Amino acid sequence: MPHDTPFGNYLNNAVRIEDFNIMANTLSVEKNANVILITDACRSGKLAGSDNRGKALIGEQLNKVEKNEIRMASCEADQDSEENEVWGNGRGAFSYFLLNGLKGLADDGEKDGVITLQELSAYLAKKVPDEVSKITQKDQNPVSLGKPNKLMAIVNDSILKSLATQSVISTTSGDLSFPDPFLRRAIERTSMQKF
C-alpha cells in the first residue's frame, strides 16, 4: 500500500500483489533482469482483508519466485511485522536488521567481504525472531526465497567499522563489551583494537 492509501479503501490506491508478480516475472523471465523484491509489511490482518483465504492468497503470491528473482518478506503470512523505538528509533525490526546485515554484519563464515542471500537470510533468521521475542513477546520469522549464493552486498569496511563503533557498550569497569556476536565478528574483521 502506498503511503496515501486510505484506510479501508484499498481499491482506491493500493497496488495489487499480482501486479508486483507480473512486473517481477516480466523483468526476470523476459528481460533476464535480476529482481529483488523486499517487503516489510504485515501480510495479515487489515492488509489481507477479513477473509482468511485473502491471507493465504497474499502469502502464495509473494512466494512466487521465478528465474532471477529474490524475494524477502519481513514475516510469515500469519504474523505481524513488529516496530519499536529500540530498532533505529521506531523502525521495523526486519528493516533494521536487514540494513545492518547488508552493511556487513551478515558476512559470516568466510568473512570474504560479500553478503550472499544465504548469509543475509541466516542473519535475519537469527536476529529478528530473537529480538522481536525479547522486546514484544511475539513471533516474527522473516522469509527469504531465491538462489542462496546470490550476491546481495559488498562489505565496505569503513561502514562496518562505523556500525561496530556505534554499537560498543562500555562496562562499569571501563572495558569494552560486545554483547552481539555478529558485532564481535565485525570488529575482528575490521581489526579494531581500541576506540
Side-chain angles (χ1 to χ4, degrees):
M1 291 189 300
H3 72 91
D4 60 349
T5 299
F7 179 76
N9 190 6
Y10 303 142
L11 293 178
N12 187 28
N13 282 11
V15 179
R16 295 177 331 129
I17 294 245
E18 293 84 357
D19 292 336
F20 278 114
N21 281 327
I22 291 168
M23 188 181 336
N25 294 169
T26 299
L27 291 169
S28 173
V29 176
E30 294 178 20
K31 304 292 184 186
N32 202 33
N34 291 312
V35 176
I36 299 174
L37 178 60
I38 300 171
T39 54
D40 186 2
C42 301
R43 292 191 283 160
S44 60
K46 300 296 182 191
L47 175 63
S50 59
D51 179 12
N52 282 335
R53 180 67 182 139
K55 295 177 188 180
L57 286 173
I58 287 176
E60 289 169 15
Q61 290 297 315
L62 284 174
N63 287 330
K64 288 184 177 179
V65 176
E66 297 293 335
K67 188 177 175 187
N68 295 323
E69 292 179 47
I70 291 175
R71 297 197 182 202
M72 302 181 80
S74 61
C75 58
E76 294 176 355
D78 61 343
Q79 296 175 335
D80 291 331
S81 188
E82 298 296 329
E83 298 175 353
N84 193 292
E85 289 297 315
V86 300
W87 302 307
N89 296 317
R91 69 178 340 138
F94 174 77
S95 63
Y96 177 78
F97 290 109
L98 174 71
L99 292 175
N100 284 344
L102 290 170
K103 289 176 182 177
L105 292 183
D107 188 14
D108 200 14
E110 297 176 15
K111 296 184 183 139
D112 55 2
V114 298
I115 309 292
T116 64
L117 177 60
Q118 183 174 357
E119 289 174 313
L120 185 57
S121 297
Y123 175 76
L124 292 170
K126 171 74 176 131
K127 297 301 288 182
V128 174
D130 288 355
E131 287 288 320
V132 167
S133 176
K134 183 170 50 175
I135 302 299
T136 69
Q137 290 74 49
K138 295 182 181 178
D139 293 328
Q140 182 176 339
N141 300 294
V143 178
S144 298
L145 301 164
K147 294 180 181 174
N149 63 344
K150 193 73 164 176
L151 176 67
M152 297 297 290
I154 297 173
V155 178
N156 179 316
D157 282 340
S158 63
I159 291 173
L160 184 60
K161 186 176 186 177
S162 172
L163 181 62
T165 303
Q166 295 169 13
S167 301
V168 173
I169 298 172
S170 180
T171 65
T172 55
S173 66
D175 296 330
L176 297 178
S177 173
F178 307 103
D180 187 322
F182 290 98
L183 283 173
R184 185 170 37 259
R185 285 193 294 273
I187 290 167
E188 291 167 359
R189 174 179 156 61
T190 57
S191 302
M192 295 175 61
Q193 299 189 1
K194 295 281 182 185
F195 295 95

